[in-house]
């Protein structure tokens, strides 16, 4: 009876299920069961909306234009240009596969919309361009209470892992930037070099957890080691 009970226990325990057969697929099978498409403009050119799907029995993670999506389906509006969509798949037996899908976006069919964090002077006239001083940690701390200029970033921006776009000008040759939190307890990007124009900063899971008010509430903080620049606006696009 004891033997029978032990057998019954293992039979019902999914951690002891035999997945040696059918627990793994090849990269070719993954590609055959996955599609990455770009919508079409009226002109016949590729649009700027990328749609990804896979019917493979895997845990799927898509990387599209620097943003990651978990699930068998993902879609994202893109800027114009050539990109490579990366599908990372975890098979039932623990094997990890990677498949790449090149895409080209040639015409805007669904315009990206700007969502301002700072610099929307039409709505907030006080959000004017400014020049932060080197080693002034308060100058570019995203905090409505402890920062000098920038407002607190909403939690949905943090946990949505948005890519922040910094519109800057007057960047000097000795520009050197540290991306940390307001407690100086973690550095996310170090010795960052920017140029005049648009510069991107990807919010990571660690950054979101530590900086969001719904997390540890430490606030995203950017500090100049050296050099100078004019910060005109901060926003993300979707």
């Amino acid at each position: 009876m004891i033997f029978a009970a032990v057998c019954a226990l293992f039979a019902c325990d999914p951690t002891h299920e035999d997945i040696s057969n059918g627990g793994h697929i090849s990269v070719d099978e993954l590609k055959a069961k996955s599609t990455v498409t770009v919508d079409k403009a009226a002109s016949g050119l590729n649009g700027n909306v990328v749609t990804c799907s896979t019917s493979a029995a895997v845990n799927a993670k898509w990387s599209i234009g620097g943003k990651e999506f978990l699930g068998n389906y993902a879609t994202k509006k893109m800027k114009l240009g050539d990109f490579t969509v990366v599908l990372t798949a975890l098979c039932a037996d623990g094997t990890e596969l990677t498949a790449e899908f090149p895409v080209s976006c040639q015409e805007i069919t669904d315009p990206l919309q700007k969502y301002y964090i700072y610099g929307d002077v039409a709505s907030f006239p006080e959000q004017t361009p400014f020049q932060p001083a080197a080693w002034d940690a308060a100058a570019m701390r995203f905090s409505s209470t402890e920062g000098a200029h920038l407002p607190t970033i909403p939690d949905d921006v943090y946990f949505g892992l948005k890519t922040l776009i910094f519109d800057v000008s007057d960047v000097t040759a000795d520009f050197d930037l540290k991306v940390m939190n307001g407690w100086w307890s973690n550095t996310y990007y170090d010795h960052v070099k920017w140029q005049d124009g648009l510069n991107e900063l990807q919010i990571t899971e660690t950054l979101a957890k530590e900086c969001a008010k719904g997390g540890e509430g430490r606030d995203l903080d950017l500090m100049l080691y050296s050099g100078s620049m004019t910060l005109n606006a901060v926003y993300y696009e979707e």
Side-chain angles (χ1 to χ4, degrees), residues 14 21 29 31 33 40-41 48 55 65 78 90 122 173 183 192 221:
N21 294 323
E29 289 175 303
K31 288 184 175 180
K33 293 183 177 182
K40 291 293 183 181
N48 70 309
S55 61
M78 304 289 287
L90 183 65
W183 291 3
V192 177
D221 199 349

Side-chain angles (χ1 to χ4, degrees), residues 3-235:
F3 177 76
V6 171
C7 290
L9 174 63
F10 278 89
C12 296
D13 186 352
T15 62
H16 293 86
E17 181 184 356
D18 182 8
I19 58 172
S20 58
N21 294 323
H24 171 73
I25 63 174
S26 67
V27 173
D28 287 341
E29 289 175 303
L30 178 64
K31 288 184 175 180
K33 293 183 177 182
S34 306
T35 59
V36 175
T37 59
V38 183
D39 67 324
K40 291 293 183 181
S43 64
L45 297 175
N46 286 347
N48 70 309
V49 180
V50 177
T51 301
C52 312
S53 65
T54 182
S55 61
V58 296
N59 290 324
K61 178 177 70 176
W62 301 91
S63 177
I64 315 172
K67 181 73 179 292
E68 292 186 346
F69 301 84
L70 299 178
N72 287 47
Y73 175 85
T75 185
K76 187 178 187 300
K77 289 191 287 187
M78 304 289 287
K79 298 178 181 178
L80 299 185
D82 297 328
F83 306 93
T84 298
V85 176
V86 179
L87 169 59
T88 303
L90 183 65
C91 297
D93 66 354
T95 304
E96 187 173 285
L97 304 175
T98 301
E100 296 185 350
F101 303 85
V103 296
S104 179
C105 298
Q106 302 165 318
E107 185 175 324
I108 297 295
T109 48
D110 194 353
L112 289 163
Q113 183 175 346
K114 289 184 180 179
Y115 295 88
Y116 280 93
I117 304 297
Y118 181 87
D120 182 7
V121 291
S123 301
F124 303 95
E126 71 278 9
Q127 293 186 355
T128 56
F130 66 93
Q131 291 185 328
W135 292 96
D136 183 355
M140 293 184 64
R141 181 170 180 173
F142 285 88
S143 172
S144 301
T145 56
E146 298 183 69
H149 302 277
L150 303 174
T152 300
I153 296 176
D155 276 10
D156 61 342
V157 175
Y158 276 123
F159 292 115
L161 304 183
K162 307 299 185 184
T163 297
L164 300 182
I165 300 172
F166 290 78
D167 180 352
V168 301
S169 56
D170 309 313
V171 180
T172 59
D174 57 343
F175 180 92
D176 194 9
L177 182 74
K178 176 186 180 75
V179 180
M180 59 181 185
N181 60 53
W183 291 3
W184 292 65
S185 56
N186 203 348
T187 297
Y188 309 110
Y189 303 97
D190 207 6
H191 298 294
V192 177
K193 311 297 182 183
W194 280 354
Q195 298 179 340
D196 282 6
L198 305 180
N199 300 268
E200 296 186 346
L201 189 154
Q202 175 68 53
I203 295 179
T204 64
E205 291 184 9
T206 298
L207 189 158
K209 177 184 175 182
E210 294 184 354
C211 296
K213 294 304 179 186
E216 298 175 18
R218 301 182 184 184
D219 301 319
L220 177 62
D221 199 349
L222 282 66
M223 186 193 71
L224 282 171
Y225 287 121
S226 63
S228 65
M229 57 92 176
T230 300
L231 179 65
N232 302 306
V234 184
Y235 59 92

